[in-house]
Structure formats: C-alpha cells, structure tokens
Amino acid sequence: MTPERPASLSKSGRGPSMHDVAARAGVSHQTVSRVLNDFPGIRPETRERVLQAIRDLGYRRNMAARALATGRSEVIGVIMPEVPHFGPTSTLYAIEHAAKRVGFKPLITTASWEPSSMGQALDFLLARSVDALVVMAQHPDVLAAVETTTDVPVLYVLTGNSHAERSVAVDQVAGTRLALEHLYDLGHRRFQHITGIAGLTEAQLRRDTFLAFLDERGLERLPILEGDWSADAGYRAGLAVEEGVTALFCANDPMAMGAIHALEERGLTVPDDVSVVGFDDVPESGYAHPALTTVHQDFTEVGLRAVTALMEIINGREPGELESVEPWLVVRDSTAPAPG
Amino acid sequence: MTPERPASLSKSGRGPSMHDVAARAGVSHQTVSRVLNDFPGIRPETRERVLQAIRDLGYRRNMAARALATGRSEVIGVIMPEVPHFGPTSTLYAIEHAAKRVGFKPLITTASWEPSSMGQALDFLLARSVDALVVMAQHPDVLAAVETTTDVPVLYVLTGNSHAERSVAVDQVAGTRLALEHLYDLGHRRFQHITGIAGLTEAQLRRDTFLAFLDERGLERLPILEGDWSADAGYRAGLAVEEGVTALFCANDPMAMGAIHALEERGLTVPDDVSVVGFDDVPESGYAHPALTTVHQDFTEVGLRAVTALMEIINGREPGELESVEPWLVVRDSTAPAPG
DNA sequence: GCCCGCCATGTTGACGATAACATCGTGGTC
DNA sequence: GACCACGATGTTATCGTCAACATGGCGGGC
C-alpha cells in the first residue's frame, strides 16, 4: 500500500479575501490589513465594522500571500532524525510549545545525516521560506552542509556541547561524568559501556568521555559494547558484558533496561552484582526493575532556549550566550556499592 | 560545488527568482517554470541550460508564491495532542515518512481538545493553505468543531473505531478483547482496569469494552482505577489494586510498568499472584520485568493509511473503505494461569 | 511554393497580501 | 480666513509563481 501522488488538486472554492471583507465593511482592503496587523490609528468604529465582516464571512488570512509580500512565514523549520527517539521527540514538543507562544509553528521534516538527505530536507524547508531552522544535528557532518546553504538563522540542537556557537544542547560530558563519578564513588573499578549509534554526536561524546574517565582514573579499558539506542541492542550487549564487571554505563535508558534483563537472565543481580546507570531519565525509568539510576536531560529547557535564541536572531539581536543545559543525576535502585 | 550567489540579484536578502534564472539561461521565466514542473516539450538543450543556471545561482523555488498561484501547498496539517505519548508520536513519524514519499510534509501544531484551542490550531493550519488535515482526535468533541470549519479534506486518526467515516484507527475494542480473553482463558476471574485519561476516546473505548466484557462473562465489577497514561499514575493505581484481584488490564504499557512496580512493593509477584496486560507494545516492554504481555498497535500502518487516503481525497477520488487496523496480542511473561 | 499546424517558447494577467505613497477632511494657529 | 499638520483612509506597485493565451519558425502536404 503506497500512497500515490496527486495529479490534480481541485482549485475549488477559495475562501474570501481581504477584498471581500473590505467590500462588506465598506472600506478599502488596506484598512482590513491594518486592522489585522494591529496598526494604530484605526477608528474603533471602523475596526469593529471590519472585524464584524471578518466574522460574517469566516475570513482567514492567506499566509502564502503574506509570506510572499513580507518574505516571512512565522514558521520554524525543524529537521529531525528519522527515528523517533526520546530526546528529539521531547525536544520537538518543547519547541512546539515555546514557538506557539510567540506565534510560530514548526514545520517538520526528517532526514538522515547523509548529505543528500539533509540537502533535500533543507531545500524543502527553505523553499517554504521558513524564518529559522532548527537542526537536530546528531552527526557532526551535517554542520558544514547546512552552513553553506543558507543565510536563514540556524540553530543546532542536541549536539552535545561540541559546537558552542549557535547550538543548544545538554552537556554530554558533564552528564557522563556525573554517572561515572557516582559509580566510582560507590567503589566500582571495572566498567563497561554500551554505546548509542556509532558516529552520532551524543553517542560519541558519551563514549569518548567514558574512555577518558577510565584513563584518568587508571582503570582498565574493557571492550566497548556497541549499541544503537534500542532496548534490543541493550539486551544483546548485556549478554556480552564481561565477567567481573560491576559497573555498566548505558548510553540511554532503554538500553539499560535491555541490559538489566540480560544480566538477570545470566543469574546476575542488579545492583548487587552489577550497578547500571542509564541516560535520559525517561518517564518509565523510575518504575523499571530495579528503578533506574540515570542522567536526567531537560529537553524542555533545550527547546525553550532554542526558540528564545532564534527569536532574538530573527529580530536582529544577538542571542545571549548559549550555554549548555546542565544535566543531573537521578539516583535510584540500580546502583549500589561495589560488591566485595 | 558550492552555489554562487551573485550580489547583482540580491534584492534585500531575498534569493534569486525565476526571472534571475531565466535571464542567466537566456530564456523566459515561464520556460524555467516549465522545466521545474516537468512539462513536456522542452528542448533537452534548453532544459539543460536552465538547470545549469539554477545550479549556478543556487535558485530555490518560492513555495509561498507557488501556493498563492495554485492554491495548494503540498503540506499536510497535523493536529497533535499536547503531550507526547507513544501512539501519537509514532503515528506522526509514520505520517511524515509516508508523506515524504509523495512530496508532502507535515506542518505540526498541538492542541488540547477544548474548542478554543482546537479552533486556534485549525485557523493556523488553514491559513497556511494546507492541502489536507490530520486530526489526532483523542476526544469525541473535536469532530464537530472541525467539520463545520473547513472544506479541506480531514482525516481523523487514533479515534478507536468510533467514527467509521474518514477516520483511521486501531480497533480498540478488538485489542481490549484480545487482552481480556487471554486473561480469561488463563482462568482469571477477578479483573481490574487502570484507565487512560478520562474522556479521551481510546481510554473510553478500552474502559467500556472492559466493563462490557465483565458483564458478558458475569464477572464482578470491581472499582475502576483512574489513570492518565503515565507510569506514575500506574504506580499509584497499582497500590490501590484490590486484594484478590489476579488480572490487571492496563490501558497502556507505562502504566503497566508502574503498576507492576507497585504490586511488587506490596509483596505480590507478577505473574504468579497477579497477571498484568498492557497496551501499545512500546519497544521497551519486552525488557520490562517481567517482560510485558501487551496489545500491539501498528501505528506505522495507521500513518500510512492516513496519508494514502488523504491523497485519494485530494485527487478527488473516494478513498477505499477505511478499515480499522487490527491489533494483536503479544504474550510475554507478565501473564500466567490464575493461581489456585 | 503556399499555407497549415505544431512545437518550443514568450507575454500578460491573476493569486492575496503588504508597503509606500497619495488624498481628504478637520481643527488649531496666526 | 488661509495655511498647515495630522489622523484616517484610499490607491498603486510589488512579491514570485502558474495558467492561459500569443507568437514565431519550420517542415510537410498539396
């Protein structure tokens, strides 16, 4: 079942235009425009007549015409990863809510990090004359691709803290360190890590920070377990956790849940034998078994800051310093002092 | 190759237009239009010259102008609930993927089911001359509100099976019955139900079907436990499950996870003492503890059918029968024969 | 060799809004 | 009472595209 592209669109009944409203109110179309745009200097009585005519006719502004005339659309283009993970999805909702408050709406498109896919997404959004662009840049390569293409304000979101300018992100290094220091402080010395999708910025940052941490503390580098964010992958990785490992740092919560499942199947108990830390603090993680210790990321704040900064840029002001959003550790029942 | 942007054409920051391309290619703007729209009867050499000019200038079509001229926008408006739950989110992604294949993109806006909120969302989308509308109608009241407002094709999604015409949904009654019959067949006779948000169509259908099932089988109606889809609510409801209940039907998976957590805190074992069934089959449910028996809903199929049907309507054809999407039961470890 | 017709392309006028400039009373100032 | 400023509104041009109609050159049929 594949949808088929439309060949012809019925150009049936367009709604009333400003001229229709103007005629009905006995004014010029320009007066209607002024009423709609809250210009000063309209006689209250005239304004009321116009508003009445609008209501009578069920008139709705044609934003296409407005966009053509002004060059602005009050739409923010959002490029999302193709798979609905918790972070991007939460951020999207946060952006929508923040944008709504300033009269903007998000136009969504998904793209993989490949240049052609990203290019198509950009073309589509820019053709719609979006006023700004949010790119959920999960891969470092997309940055260059976007930069050269447009002069529309662009903000990168969910990039870790790797591109300080024009990007809003949760500090991945800090988050990872919170998790690892918590485990270290509990006495753990043998760590393994289940990664997110290889190459994605956040996965890479968590992984790099993990390795750096081991080196700093002089801990052994056991094999990295490659994951892909999914609980399935977490389960498979959990089966491969080495004997003697007591601390498992998972790049997100679903993988942590999968891994715990695998560990328990192997007869290991969490947290008595192995302590497990996740990342994201998804709403269910407090009710996992055992309740998951995890790094909380405030995606609502990310979305809010992104929209706020974009509004500044659109209005010609420089946005304030775009600081990283600080994550915090939520300690629950999946971590305990190292055994022995 | 980086597109070059001659300063000559920049009229206050706007990109090049068809006229600029036409001038560079030595043709008329209409020929450019014809090339872009794949009209027949362009000499290959001319076409190539136009395409080259487009590349040279980094030209991008202005969809606002196109929308103004044609009345169509190749955008599907989507009205989503304000809270990012699994079903709507998954469906959104499915819609995006299906729409992309036919050159459409979703323009997202969220709204609560209140008329004013829904009205604002509609105004916004219709002003953007969307070619079609997908309404995730979680509340029965929205239907009337939308119908009277527009003649744009509208499709309701995620409505259970309660509005057969112009709606695509997973059959909630069937899904609920699958869950309950499974429990009944295992010998359970004392059931309780944790509901979704009161008033929402799907929550209501699951609840009604639950009660109908009890009556049909002559089972006792124990108190309904009111939930709100969240794991938190599931936990609280789990604490309130009556003594002697052996079968707990939860309106979604996160609540099931919360409830299981609560039951185990109370010293009850799942599934030995209480069998629990969820709804949705979220990706993590297979790794919950115990792995969750649940009703799988195919949101990908929902999104695909929605877009397919909308394309039919846009083309002036009647969409085929819009059948419910059939859910199926995934039996895992959270259900077992009734004790005793 | 003329005319017809068709193929490839050019020209003009919407589409519905905004922006810039024009107009028309009206009341205050001197 | 003439003049001017200004408040309220009207008029015209413009944004970039598509649709409808116009044109012009060229080959073929007779």
Side-chain angles (χ1 to χ4, degrees):
Chain A
M1 193 147 131
T2 298
E4 171 195 338
R5 194 171 199 300
S8 68
L9 196 57
S10 62
K11 189 176 164 184
S12 63
R14 292 203 192 201
S17 74
M18 271 193 180
H19 284 92
D20 302 316
V21 173
R24 177 161 186 125
V27 298
S28 77
H29 65 108
Q30 182 59 7
T31 298
V32 177
S33 171
R34 284 192 262 254
V35 168
L36 283 169
N37 293 309
D38 276 328
F39 274 61
I42 306 282
R43 212 158 27 190
E45 162 203 324
T46 309
R47 151 178 262 101
E48 192 42 55
R49 217 152 14 103
V50 170
L51 292 175
Q52 187 58 50
I54 287 175
R55 263 175 264 128
D56 292 347
L57 296 173
Y59 166 79
R60 235 180 313 248
R61 215 190 210 149
N62 181 326
M63 293 306 277
R66 182 185 164 91
L68 179 57
T70 61
R72 313 185 60 181
S73 60
E74 296 182 340
V75 167
I76 297 176
V78 180
I79 300 183
M80 306 267 302
E82 288 182 311
V83 183
H85 291 127
F86 179 73
T89 307
S90 304
T91 307
L92 171 61
Y93 270 83
I95 289 172
E96 201 277 346
H97 291 318
K100 177 184 276 184
R101 283 196 280 167
V102 286
F104 280 64
K105 285 284 178 300
L107 181 62
I108 310 299
T109 184
T110 63
S112 71
W113 58 268
E114 285 160 32
S116 73
S117 170
M118 191 56 74
Q120 280 186 315
L122 276 169
D123 279 347
F124 178 91
L125 293 176
L126 293 174
R128 260 73 185 172
S129 36
V130 295
D131 295 336
L133 224 37
V134 172
V135 181
M136 302 219 187
Q138 302 217 296
H139 196 281
D141 289 1
V142 307
L143 298 181
V146 177
E147 279 302 353
T148 59
T149 308
T150 176
D151 48 337
V152 166
V154 179
L155 211 59
Y156 302 94
V157 164
L158 304 188
T159 54
N161 49 359
S162 60
H163 319 91
E165 52 174 358
R166 295 289 157 91
S167 99
V168 177
V170 177
D171 188 336
Q172 300 299 313
V173 173
T176 302
R177 286 185 173 278
L178 284 173
L180 297 175
E181 275 157 16
H182 170 62
L183 290 166
Y184 191 90
D185 291 347
L186 286 170
H188 295 276
R189 294 297 181 266
R190 290 184 68 76
F191 289 68
Q192 270 193 297
H193 173 48
I194 306 179
T195 69
I197 294 175
L200 299 198
T201 310
E202 294 179 306
Q204 192 65 43
L205 284 166
R206 290 173 204 171
R207 174 198 190 121
D208 291 347
T209 306
F210 173 77
L211 291 173
F213 183 87
L214 293 188
D215 294 350
E216 286 167 20
R217 309 286 166 123
L219 303 176
E220 184 182 357
R221 282 194 179 195
L222 296 169
I224 291 284
L225 301 164
E226 304 284 346
D228 63 6
W229 303 128
S230 76
D232 284 335
Y235 175 78
R236 288 191 300 271
L239 295 177
V241 166
E242 307 255 318
E243 289 295 324
V245 165
T246 66
L248 183 60
F249 170 56
C250 306
N252 75 354
D253 286 348
M255 292 198 299
M257 292 168 69
I260 289 172
H261 206 88
L263 292 172
E264 306 231 315
E265 272 186 20
R266 291 170 58 185
L268 295 165
T269 303
V270 177
D272 298 338
D273 298 316
V274 184
S275 283
V276 176
V277 179
F279 215 105
D280 277 354
D281 195 21
V282 303
E284 291 76 41
S285 58
Y287 301 100
H289 178 88
L292 208 57
T293 294
T294 187
V295 179
H296 183 96
Q297 302 200 78
D298 190 349
F299 294 112
T300 301
E301 179 67 20
V302 170
L304 184 58
R305 288 201 200 175
V307 172
T308 305
L310 281 177
M311 290 303 129
E312 293 291 301
I313 300 172
I314 286 175
N315 290 325
R317 294 189 291 271
E318 268 305 300
E321 275 303 300
L322 289 172
E323 290 171 9
S324 293
V325 175
E326 287 307 311
W328 62 84
L329 187 70
V330 181
V331 178
R332 298 203 184 93
D333 307 331
S334 67
T335 48
Chain B
M1 275 292 126
T2 301
E4 122 200 12
R5 277 199 192 238
S8 60
L9 55 79
S10 40
K11 256 189 172 177
S12 75
R14 289 208 193 204
S17 74
M18 272 191 181
H19 285 91
D20 300 314
V21 173
R24 177 158 185 130
V27 297
S28 78
H29 66 105
Q30 183 58 10
T31 298
V32 177
S33 172
R34 284 192 263 253
V35 168
L36 283 170
N37 293 311
D38 276 329
F39 274 61
I42 306 282
R43 210 157 30 189
E45 161 203 326
T46 310
R47 152 179 260 99
E48 192 42 56
R49 221 158 6 109
V50 169
L51 292 175
Q52 186 57 49
I54 287 175
R55 263 175 264 129
D56 292 348
L57 297 173
Y59 165 79
R60 236 179 314 247
R61 214 190 212 151
N62 182 326
M63 293 305 278
R66 183 185 163 88
L68 179 56
T70 62
R72 53 183 293 182
S73 59
E74 297 181 340
V75 167
I76 297 175
V78 180
I79 300 183
M80 306 265 304
E82 288 182 311
V83 183
H85 291 127
F86 179 73
T89 307
S90 304
T91 307
L92 171 61
Y93 270 82
I95 289 172
E96 201 276 346
H97 291 317
K100 177 184 276 184
R101 284 197 279 166
V102 286
F104 279 64
K105 285 283 179 300
L107 181 62
I108 310 298
T109 184
T110 63
S112 72
W113 58 267
E114 284 159 32
S116 73
S117 171
M118 192 56 71
Q120 281 186 314
L122 275 170
D123 280 347
F124 179 91
L125 293 176
L126 293 176
R128 260 73 185 173
S129 35
V130 295
D131 295 336
L133 224 38
V134 171
V135 181
M136 302 216 186
Q138 303 217 295
H139 196 281
D141 288 2
V142 307
L143 298 180
V146 177
E147 279 301 355
T148 57
T149 308
T150 176
D151 48 337
V152 167
V154 179
L155 211 59
Y156 302 94
V157 164
L158 304 188
T159 53
N161 49 359
S162 61
H163 318 90
E165 52 174 359
R166 295 289 156 92
S167 99
V168 176
V170 176
D171 187 336
Q172 300 299 313
V173 172
T176 302
R177 286 185 174 278
L178 284 173
L180 298 174
E181 275 157 18
H182 169 63
L183 291 166
Y184 190 88
D185 291 348
L186 287 169
H188 295 275
R189 294 298 180 267
R190 290 183 69 79
F191 289 69
Q192 270 194 296
H193 174 48
I194 307 179
T195 69
I197 294 175
L200 299 197
T201 310
E202 294 179 306
Q204 192 65 43
L205 283 167
R206 291 172 203 172
R207 174 199 189 119
D208 292 348
T209 306
F210 173 78
L211 291 174
F213 183 88
L214 293 188
D215 294 349
E216 286 167 20
R217 307 285 166 123
L219 303 176
E220 184 182 356
R221 283 194 179 194
L222 297 169
I224 291 284
L225 302 164
E226 303 284 346
D228 63 4
W229 304 128
S230 76
D232 284 335
Y235 175 78
R236 289 191 300 272
L239 294 177
V241 166
E242 306 256 317
E243 290 295 325
V245 165
T246 66
L248 181 61
F249 170 56
C250 306
N252 75 354
D253 287 347
M255 292 197 300
M257 292 168 71
I260 290 172
H261 206 89
L263 292 172
E264 306 230 317
E265 272 188 20
R266 291 170 57 186
L268 295 165
T269 304
V270 177
D272 299 338
D273 298 318
V274 184
S275 283
V276 176
V277 179
F279 215 105
D280 277 354
D281 194 22
V282 303
E284 291 76 42
S285 57
Y287 301 100
H289 177 88
L292 208 56
T293 294
T294 187
V295 178
H296 183 95
Q297 303 199 77
D298 190 349
F299 295 111
T300 302
E301 179 66 19
V302 170
L304 184 57
R305 288 200 199 176
V307 172
T308 304
L310 280 176
M311 290 303 131
E312 293 292 302
I313 300 172
I314 286 175
N315 283 327
R317 293 192 289 272
E318 269 304 301
E321 274 303 300
L322 290 171
E323 290 171 9
S324 294
V325 175
E326 286 308 311
W328 63 84
L329 185 71
V330 181
V331 178
R332 298 202 184 93
D333 308 330
S334 67
T335 48

